Structures are given as C-alpha cells and as structure tokens.
Amino acid sequence: MSWRFSAKGPPLKARSLFPLVLVVALVAGCGGGGTASLDKDDVAVVGDQHVKKSSFDELMDQACRSFKAQGRKCAKAGSTDYSTIKNQAVTLLVQQAEREEKAGDLGVKVDDKAVDKRLTQIKKQYFGNSEKKYKSQLKKQGLTDEQVRRDIKAQLISEAVFKKVTGDVKVAKGDVHDYYIQHPQLYAQPQSRDVRHILVKTKPLADKIYAQLRGGADFAKLAKQYSTDPGSKAQGGKLTVSKGQTVPPFDKVAFALKKNELSKPVKTQYGWHIIQALSNVKPRKTTPEKQVSDSIKQQLIQQKKNEAMTEWVNGLTKDFCKGGKVKYQVGYKPNPDPCATATTSTKTDTAQ
C-alpha cells in the first residue's frame, strides 16, 4: 500500500512495498457509527472500531524512513512537518476505519482467503514466488507480513466498495455522440506532408549547403553530415510534419513548397533550415465517430463512476460527522478537524 504524506518538499511514500497495492484515498473521513469508548492505546474510535496507536506509529515510522531515503532528517515532534504528517496519518486511519464500517452496510466482506489470494498474486508478480525475496523486501521496507495483509484487506475493501457504488453507472449512446461533437479538436487530424530538412546554425553554412544541393549533391548525405536536428539527422533529414505544429516560419514554407521543390535557407529560432517537400500535402482528416465511440464510452463511464464514488464518500463523511460519533484521543485530533469542514459544507448545502 502506498501512503502518501506531504509536508515540505515532494510527496513521501511511507509504504511503497507493492506498486499493485494502493489505497484509494477518497476524501478525509471522520465520525463513526457506534459509541465505543476510547482505550488508552487508541488514537481514535470510529463507530465500533478502535484505531490503535500501534497503527499510527507504523505510519509515522514509515514516513521517517521515507525522509531518510531522501537524505532528509526525520520530522521532529513539534515541527510543522511533524504536525502535517501526524494529521494526515490520523485522518487516513480514521478514514480507512470509516470505509470498512460502512462497507458492511453494502454487503462487502473481505475474508482471510481473499487476502491470501491477492498476496499470492503479488508474490508471483513482484518476487517470482520467492518467499525469500518477499521477506527480504519486507525487512528492507521495515514492514511485517501482518501490516501487508492489513493493507491488502483495506485495498480489497476499497475495490469492492467502488464496484458496489458504481455498479449501476451507464452511459447512453447520445452522451457519446454529444462528447464527440463537443470535442472536434480531439478527433481531427490536420494537413500533413513528408519533408526533409537540414538545420545548421549559420546562414553562410546554410547558403553553402543550399548551393551544393542545387548542384546535385546528395541531400541525405549532407543532412547526416551537417544537420543539428537530432530527431531527423539519422534519417537523412526526413520527417512528417503536421500543419500548425512546427514553428511558424518552417510551417509556412514546408506547406507552400511544391512536391520535390527545395527551399532557400529559412530562419527560425533554432537556426537555418533548407527544406525539401517529398510528398503532396495530405488533406485534413477527421476520425469517424464509430472508430472512437468505444473509447469515448469507456472514458465517460469512468468519469461517471468517479463522480458517483465522490458523491458517496461526501455523503459518508457527512453521515459520520452528524452525531459527532468519532472520538479522538487527547492530542490526536487533526487540525483542521475534517468534521468541521463537512459540517460547514452541509450547512452551506442546506442554505442553498
């Protein structure tokens, strides 16, 4: 599972053992569905679930290792970095417990068998079924097998919840057509043509090469000898250009030449070009809707699924916050309190 903390500097991967195992960080959760009492070794309680300090400590340790891997010192207690990471760690753990509790209402259950199956897949994909390599990586990352299994379970729950919440999402044929019509630039192919060119730094050299070409010299040979364009030099200067996608002076000349015509040296911000047209201008084309309808449909489905999931999570946050049922241990309540944001949002929605 990858936990991402952001303090100062780039994001940190506190757990980066398995690229496959990623927690879907939906939104900051808060609240709960029960009246459990705080134990001394709790960071918080969410409904009937206890968020243990041991889990919090694991995240903080992983964040510290990430700092060290970047050549930075671990965040010190009392510092801004430490407070930021601490708030994010507590919020993430509460959020995870919250989703797990609500998952039960959706009929989502993840047992040890499912966790074993996913872990077996991970070991096969990343460690060639080698238990030795797997344990070596655990040690390197400072993780335990138990932690990994918990992370896998959280991911499986997230996947199952997503599937449940978005299972009825559909996209009508008319939606696909509307998207195609509204985004013509995505499916239009501009005019293009095959050309070859030689790019040099100075006009005297460009004039010299132009004279040689007019005298019958081999274009490809001179391009390989003189051109400073790394993208076409090895191909004897050949490239296919699309209308409007090269610098204006080059574009203007490249599309004005007759087939096989050679241009005089053309100045651009990159230097001096001698251009020769190798083909006629190929007309502008538009990809037919039927060729892209499937990809548009999949894109719109994914977009609607994400929207449905966001709506569900926002509703979940508000539900858990209404009764103030989440309880934080003294010194662990995030600042700002996610519930305060959710409550403010609810009042704003009601007023509207």
Side-chain angles (χ1 to χ4, degrees):
M1 172 193 298
S2 292
W3 303 97
R4 294 181 182 272
F5 296 106
S6 60
K8 294 180 179 177
L12 306 178
K13 281 190 177 180
R15 292 187 182 181
S16 55
L17 177 61
F18 305 119
L20 181 65
V21 186
L22 301 173
V23 166
V24 181
L26 302 172
V27 296
C30 50
T35 56
S37 298
L38 280 164
D39 293 337
K40 63 179 181 179
D41 59 346
D42 290 339
V43 168
V45 290
V46 180
D48 296 328
Q49 298 190 57
H50 294 261
V51 180
K52 298 297 182 182
K53 287 183 180 178
S54 57
S55 297
F56 169 79
D57 290 339
E58 288 171 4
L59 290 186
M60 297 302 289
D61 287 344
Q62 290 297 320
C64 182
R65 290 191 183 92
S66 295
F67 270 93
K68 289 180 177 179
Q70 297 177 16
R72 301 165 62 191
K73 293 181 179 180
C74 293
K76 294 183 178 180
S79 68
T80 301
D81 281 358
Y82 184 88
S83 296
T84 299
I85 296 170
K86 178 182 177 181
N87 287 339
Q88 292 179 344
V90 174
T91 297
L92 184 58
L93 289 170
V94 169
Q95 171 191 331
Q96 181 176 315
E98 183 180 275
R99 286 203 308 272
E100 288 186 15
E101 181 144 319
K102 272 294 183 181
D105 295 341
L106 294 174
V108 171
K109 295 182 180 179
V110 175
D111 56 19
D112 291 341
K113 185 177 180 180
V115 174
D116 289 341
K117 183 178 179 181
R118 178 62 65 87
L119 183 54
T120 297
Q121 293 173 347
I122 291 170
K123 288 179 179 179
K124 180 179 180 180
Q125 182 175 357
Y126 296 102
F127 304 103
N129 283 328
S130 171
E131 192 69 18
K132 183 178 180 180
K133 291 180 180 179
Y134 167 69
K135 289 183 177 179
S136 175
Q137 188 66 12
L138 286 180
K139 184 176 180 180
K140 182 178 179 181
Q141 293 291 129
L143 298 172
T144 65
D145 183 70
E146 181 184 359
Q147 287 174 267
V148 171
R149 289 176 182 275
R150 285 204 306 268
D151 291 349
I152 291 174
K153 183 177 181 180
Q155 173 62 16
L156 291 174
I157 289 173
S158 290
E159 291 173 2
V161 167
F162 186 85
K163 187 175 181 180
K164 284 275 187 179
V165 172
T166 65
D168 295 331
V169 169
K170 295 180 181 179
V171 171
K173 188 175 182 179
D175 294 335
V176 173
H177 177 70
D178 290 344
Y179 185 90
Y180 178 81
I181 295 299
Q182 293 166 10
H183 298 82
Q185 72 281 4
L186 299 178
Y187 309 106
Q189 301 173 32
Q191 290 180 317
S192 65
R193 79 183 312 180
D194 298 327
V195 300
R196 59 183 177 181
H197 80 127
I198 298 172
L199 172 64
V200 293
K201 294 296 184 182
T202 66
K203 188 174 187 302
L205 179 56
D207 288 336
K208 175 184 175 182
I209 294 171
Y210 175 72
Q212 290 177 351
L213 291 172
R214 293 279 291 177
D218 186 286
F219 195 108
K221 184 177 180 180
L222 291 180
K224 292 177 181 179
Q225 180 179 354
Y226 291 108
S227 185
T228 60
D229 176 20
S232 64
K233 180 175 182 175
Q235 288 73 44
K238 291 183 179 180
L239 72 160
T240 299
V241 292
S242 297
K243 185 70 173 176
Q245 295 183 7
T246 58
V247 289
F250 187 102
D251 187 82
K252 181 179 179 180
V253 173
F255 283 90
L257 293 171
K258 296 178 181 179
K259 184 179 179 181
N260 296 322
E261 185 180 1
L262 186 71
S263 76
K264 292 181 179 179
V266 179
K267 190 178 188 308
T268 72
Q269 64 198 68
Y270 301 105
W272 293 85
H273 307 255
I274 300 97
I275 308 168
Q276 184 177 31
L278 298 178
S279 72
N280 292 320
V281 175
K282 301 171 187 178
R284 181 180 183 276
K285 295 189 297 183
T286 300
T287 304
E289 182 177 342
K290 63 181 181 180
Q291 290 185 19
V292 293
S293 60
D294 286 345
S295 63
I296 292 175
K297 184 177 181 180
Q298 291 305 312
Q299 178 183 336
L300 293 179
I301 286 176
Q302 189 60 49
Q303 180 179 322
K304 286 193 172 186
K305 284 184 175 182
N306 291 341
E307 291 171 353
M309 195 67 210
T310 298
E311 183 178 352
W312 181 84
V313 171
N314 288 339
L316 175 68
T317 301
K318 293 174 183 178
D319 288 344
F320 272 76
C321 288
K322 279 180 181 178
K325 297 173 184 177
V326 66
K327 300 175 184 176
Y328 293 101
Q329 192 68 263
V330 175
Y332 286 93
K333 187 175 183 177
N335 182 23
D337 180 5
C339 274
T341 303
T343 303
T344 301
S345 175
T346 301
K347 290 179 179 179
T348 301
D349 293 342
T350 302
Q352 293 176 343

